[in-house]
Amino acid sequence: MEVAEEIEIAIVGGGICGLATALALHRKGFRSVVLERSESLRATGAAITIRPNGWRALDELGVASKLRQTAVPLQGATDICLNSGKQREIPTGGGETRCLKRTDLITTLAESLPRGTIRLGCQALSVKLDSPTSSPILHLQNGSSIKAQVLIGCDGANSVVADFLDLKPSKLFSLSAVRGFTMYPSGHNFENKFIQVRGDKCTVGRMPIHNKLVYWVVIQKVMYGRGGLEVPKDPELIRQLTLEVIKDFPSEMIDMINNSDTESLSKTRLRYRSPWDILVGNFQKGSVTVAGDAMHLMGPFLAQGGSAGIEDSIVIARCLAQKLAENYDKNSRARHIMEEALDKYVKERRMRLVLLSTQSYLACLLHQDSGLVKFVCIILMTTLFSDMNRHTRYDCGCL
């Protein structure tokens, strides 16, 4: 039998959260290895909106200044009803908000890590414990295995590490999202703000990244029957189906999607981990835990999924560093000390994530449901989240 490679901290998943976690650990003096299943770093979803709390976390990681050079700050948001033409300003709570290309964020995080931190083509298959007191062993598709003192699953909605923790599977909303970029070589004339146009069949959102590049998203209800549950992968088919859905929208939005960058187009079903599962979920078993979408997958309506994952990275690294500092005169890397640090991380994050996921869940229901369900959601949203942007003022603290 092949002997497992021993690693101090293994991170499964080389997305935003995985790379941010590796960087946070590096800043605190920990060595880690990021295991990414793809042969290149992935950036699914085209763009990501970072709100004030996310920028505070990126500042702690030391990458915010570089990223600010890649995108313009957004100066507000407007909601437009397609049928009536009525417009209203959407309260954003102020503070710094920018829409980043995911590739810019991924690249910046990766380039800030020590050489050799990221291993590509390493798909995790399962996690095993030989005994309750042993270190976790991660089995990879290539037949090798890794024995990690600490194992952190940042491997998204279909997380192998979440399966090991016996977390309930994520659920599907009755909504899908088409995302893409459109380049305007001579520059666009759009304001630096988020614009949302609501129609009967879908909602189109648009925001600039810089003066020549725009990110857009089309949210629509999933149509049951006639292949409506199937998610097409062909970019050109995605474009044509989306153009059909938005045919009654303003011409500038039709042109935007018609002229979009084909390679940037994607369509996904919206998924979530329910607030009650986050409230009671077992996010730690020994020295194994999860972060990012593997822990708290949520809809896009708060623009907080990515930022919450970056917050996770700060808190994990801080908790580990604090516990080691408290036990510097002992065998500070003992397994029970690592477990205490991860327990502290989960406790610190849980209620923040319950509130975020609840607000995001209600916002998604407002988009997909009508009648009584929508009325109840409005009552709950007004009662529980009278300050709709309080979540953007959250500070995860110093690294």
Side-chain angles (χ1 to χ4, degrees):
M1 175 180 278
E2 183 180 347
V3 177
E5 177 187 2
E6 295 192 8
I7 292 176
E8 184 175 25
I9 302 176
I11 299 168
V12 182
I16 292 170
C17 182
L19 296 177
T21 300
L23 182 55
L25 291 167
H26 172 61
R27 299 287 192 227
K28 300 301 289 185
F30 294 99
R31 294 180 60 187
S32 66
V33 171
V34 176
L35 305 167
E36 168 54 37
R37 67 180 182 180
S38 302
E39 295 299 332
S40 60
L41 289 176
R42 52 194 166 92
T44 305
I48 178 172
T49 302
I50 304 292
R51 304 192 70 177
N53 55 297
W55 285 107
R56 283 189 281 274
L58 290 172
D59 275 321
E60 288 298 316
L61 290 178
V63 297
S65 296
K66 184 175 181 179
L67 289 168
R68 287 186 176 101
Q69 300 173 29
T70 68
V72 298
L74 300 180
Q75 308 294 338
T78 300
D79 174 82
I80 303 172
C81 177
L82 181 64
N83 293 333
S84 67
K86 290 183 178 180
Q87 299 186 20
R88 67 177 182 90
E89 292 300 305
I90 304 173
T92 61
E96 180 180 11
T97 299
R98 298 172 195 256
C99 183
L100 302 176
K101 291 177 66 176
R102 283 181 178 261
T103 52
D104 287 342
L105 179 52
I106 290 282
T107 300
T108 299
L109 292 170
E111 290 178 346
S112 302
L113 291 169
R115 185 182 298 273
T117 299
I118 303 169
R119 298 185 186 179
L120 301 174
C122 295
Q123 181 169 354
L125 294 181
S126 63
V127 182
K128 298 281 180 63
L129 281 179
D130 290 336
S131 71
T133 59
S134 65
S135 295
I137 297 177
L138 183 68
H139 295 283
L140 305 179
Q141 190 177 44
N142 61 13
S144 65
S145 57
I146 289 174
K147 186 176 184 179
Q149 195 168 1
V150 174
L151 178 62
I152 305 171
C154 301
D155 45 343
N158 301 308
S159 170
V160 168
V161 182
D163 289 343
F164 169 76
L165 295 174
D166 295 322
L167 297 180
K168 291 184 178 179
S170 61
K171 300 176 176 66
L172 286 168
F173 281 113
S174 298
L175 297 169
S176 66
V178 177
R179 300 175 172 93
F181 290 130
T182 302
M183 179 66 76
Y184 295 81
S186 300
H188 58 74
N189 297 317
F190 304 136
E191 294 181 86
N192 289 342
K193 63 190 307 184
F194 172 68
I195 301 295
Q196 172 181 282
V197 181
R198 291 180 293 110
D200 293 330
K201 296 181 179 180
C202 68
T203 298
V204 180
R206 181 193 73 206
M207 64 188 86
I209 292 178
H210 52 68
N211 65 341
K212 292 185 178 181
L213 184 64
V214 168
Y215 168 67
W216 55 265
V217 58
V218 178
I219 306 290
Q220 59 183 310
K221 293 182 181 180
V222 173
M223 303 301 294
Y224 293 90
R226 294 186 180 181
L229 293 177
E230 298 178 7
V231 179
K233 299 297 182 184
D234 177 63
E236 196 54 48
L237 178 58
I238 292 173
R239 188 203 313 273
Q240 296 306 317
L241 291 174
T242 305
L243 287 171
E244 178 64 25
V245 171
I246 67 158
K247 61 184 178 182
D248 296 325
F249 277 66
S251 59
E252 67 178 22
M253 289 196 157
I254 295 173
D255 291 341
M256 175 181 70
I257 293 175
N258 192 42
N259 297 323
S260 57
D261 174 19
T262 302
E263 293 184 358
S264 72
L265 297 178
S266 66
K267 182 174 183 177
T268 57
R269 286 286 302 274
L270 298 186
R271 307 182 71 93
Y272 68 101
R273 192 177 295 285
S274 65
W276 44 94
D277 286 341
I278 293 176
L279 179 63
V280 301
N282 179 25
F283 294 123
Q284 181 214 355
K285 185 185 292 185
S287 59
V288 180
T289 192
V290 283
D293 284 351
M295 187 183 197
H296 48 74
L297 183 65
M298 64 184 74
F301 297 103
L302 298 186
Q304 285 288 10
S307 292
I310 299 170
E311 291 176 1
D312 294 341
S313 73
I314 299 294
V315 179
I316 287 177
R318 182 174 66 234
C319 288
L320 284 169
Q322 286 176 348
K323 276 295 178 182
L324 296 188
E326 292 170 6
N327 296 274
Y328 72 94
D329 57 339
K330 305 174 184 177
N331 180 11
S332 61
R333 306 265 167 153
R335 187 171 182 272
H336 75 278
I337 294 174
M338 297 294 199
E339 291 178 8
E340 289 174 7
L342 296 184
D343 180 64
K344 182 179 180 182
Y345 152 70
V346 170
K347 288 177 178 177
E348 182 172 336
R349 292 299 289 159
R350 191 180 297 273
M351 287 314 298
R352 161 67 169 168
L353 298 173
V354 167
L355 291 172
L356 270 183
S357 63
T358 300
Q359 189 173 355
S360 175
Y361 177 71
L362 292 174
C364 282
L365 290 184
L366 287 173
H367 277 76
Q368 78 171 26
D369 292 308
S370 58
L372 181 59
V373 172
K374 187 169 186 176
F375 175 75
V376 172
C377 287
I378 291 173
I379 297 298
L380 289 173
M381 189 73 88
T382 303
T383 303
L384 298 175
F385 304 104
S386 57
D387 182 351
M388 299 287 287
N389 292 291
R390 183 179 180 182
H391 59 91
T392 69
R393 297 192 292 277
Y394 179 83
D395 189 343
C396 65
C398 297
L399 181 56

